[in-house]
Amino acid sequence: MIGVAPDADVLSVRVILEDEEPGFREFNSAERFENVVARGIRYAVDEGADVINMSISKELATREERAAIRYAISKGVVLVAAAGNDGDRQVEGDFAPYSYPAAFPGVVSVGATDRRLRRASFSNWNSSVLVAAPGVDIMGAGPGDEYWVGRGTSQATALVSGVAALVKARHPDLSPPLVARALAAGATDRPPGGYDTATGFGVVNAARALTEASRLAGHEETATGAQAQDPSRPVAGGTPGPVQVVVRDERRVTVYAAIAAGAAVGALAALSVIFILVRRVRRAHISQEA
């Protein structure tokens, strides 16, 4: 509704039911609904989506979802997902629960900020979070021609997806990893040290993300030249053979061998002393009993 990417077309692919809808319990328990998210991702990709916004959060992931995300990235599609709204439920360690699909590698995981651009209390904080966006008191369009004011990482994710769509509109050939880099490099309100698990690399900024994308688009993504490593070949260029010894320091080898031999002799001497002492104590104890 805000119009971050005004020329973008929106394809709505429904993969979940709301809590109050009929059939919600079956939807959450029936095996036939287990891979609806994966099927939705593949459908959006095949329909020509450039950016997929996923305002969903699950504690467990499936193999099919992982494969669908890999399929989307291979087709040049940018995936943006909500980090989750369980930020007030800290688990073991210094982070909030991971959620999927946000925690999958290659997915832009988005946290939510409040009016002060600090992490919203509900926003998940963990190392999957890449960037953040406002997620408190965000106006959006709802069913029945109504407008709602909502809060959550879903609202933040929608804003970041819009910025990603804006980047792809100007640089359609920019790969998903480079779009993610542009979002992160262009972020403002960076945390101390440049990154933290609460807001990632900072709050997404559309203008700065476009600037970073333009800079990245001017470079080749794959290194070329005589010294470039072919990614289809092993790093060593083949099966590694025996390691050739260039220099053998005989003096140092002799010294280390003497030290090792001395340590072994000392250990044996210590064991001998202990054995003798134990025998003497035992004899003395027997003599006292007699």
Side-chain angles (χ1 to χ4, degrees):
M1 190 202 77
I2 293 175
V4 179
D7 291 335
D9 295 324
V10 178
L11 171 67
S12 179
V13 181
R14 194 176 194 215
V15 295
I16 60 173
L17 292 182
E18 299 296 336
D19 297 5
E20 66 275 5
E21 287 190 83
F24 176 76
R25 180 173 298 180
E26 181 189 3
F27 174 79
N28 268 6
S29 57
E31 186 176 350
R32 63 193 181 99
F33 295 116
E34 183 177 355
N35 295 313
V36 290
V37 173
R39 295 202 300 268
I41 292 172
R42 289 181 179 273
Y43 176 83
V45 173
D46 294 340
E47 288 295 313
D50 295 304
V51 178
I52 297 179
N53 174 84
M54 296 179 288
S55 296
I56 50 180
S57 177
K58 303 170 53 179
E59 289 187 359
L60 299 176
T62 67
R63 180 180 300 176
E64 288 75 12
E65 288 169 359
R66 186 184 297 274
I69 286 171
R70 183 169 62 246
Y71 174 71
I73 294 175
S74 72
K75 297 295 184 179
V77 180
V78 180
L79 298 146
V80 187
N85 300 327
D86 296 315
D88 54 352
R89 183 167 65 88
Q90 183 175 344
V91 297
E92 184 178 350
D94 191 25
F95 59 87
Y98 287 90
S99 65
Y100 296 90
F104 279 125
V107 177
V108 178
S109 177
V110 182
T113 61
D114 57 19
R115 290 178 177 271
R116 299 181 301 165
L117 299 182
R118 306 284 180 85
R119 181 186 74 89
S121 60
F122 55 80
S123 181
N124 282 13
W125 40 292
N126 53 56
S127 59
S128 75
V129 177
L130 182 73
V131 291
V136 175
D137 297 333
I138 305 298
M139 183 173 287
D145 295 329
E146 295 182 351
Y147 291 97
W148 293 355
V149 176
R151 54 184 306 196
T153 51
S154 292
Q155 281 76 4
T157 301
L159 292 170
V160 175
S161 294
V163 177
L166 197 63
V167 170
K168 288 291 282 186
R170 181 171 293 183
H171 303 286
D173 296 329
L174 202 64
S175 67
L178 292 186
V179 173
R181 180 177 175 83
L183 295 173
T188 56
D189 292 279
R190 291 180 175 273
Y195 178 87
D196 66 18
T197 56
T199 59
F201 288 99
V203 179
V204 72
N205 181 289
R208 288 169 58 96
L210 284 174
T211 301
E212 289 295 331
S214 297
R215 184 181 64 83
L216 293 170
H219 299 276
E220 291 289 336
E221 187 174 355
T222 304
T224 57
Q227 295 182 340
Q229 169 65 30
D230 184 353
S232 64
R233 300 183 60 188
V235 175
T239 304
V243 177
Q244 181 181 1
V245 178
V246 179
V247 177
R248 183 178 177 88
D249 192 335
E250 298 290 348
R251 182 174 177 275
R252 183 169 295 181
V253 171
T254 303
V255 171
Y256 287 167
I259 293 173
V265 171
L268 288 174
L271 288 174
S272 300
V273 171
I274 293 172
F275 179 74
I276 293 171
L277 291 175
V278 169
R279 291 192 62 185
R280 287 182 178 178
V281 170
R282 183 174 296 176
R283 287 177 180 175
H285 181 69
I286 293 174
S287 299
Q288 291 177 0
E289 288 184 349

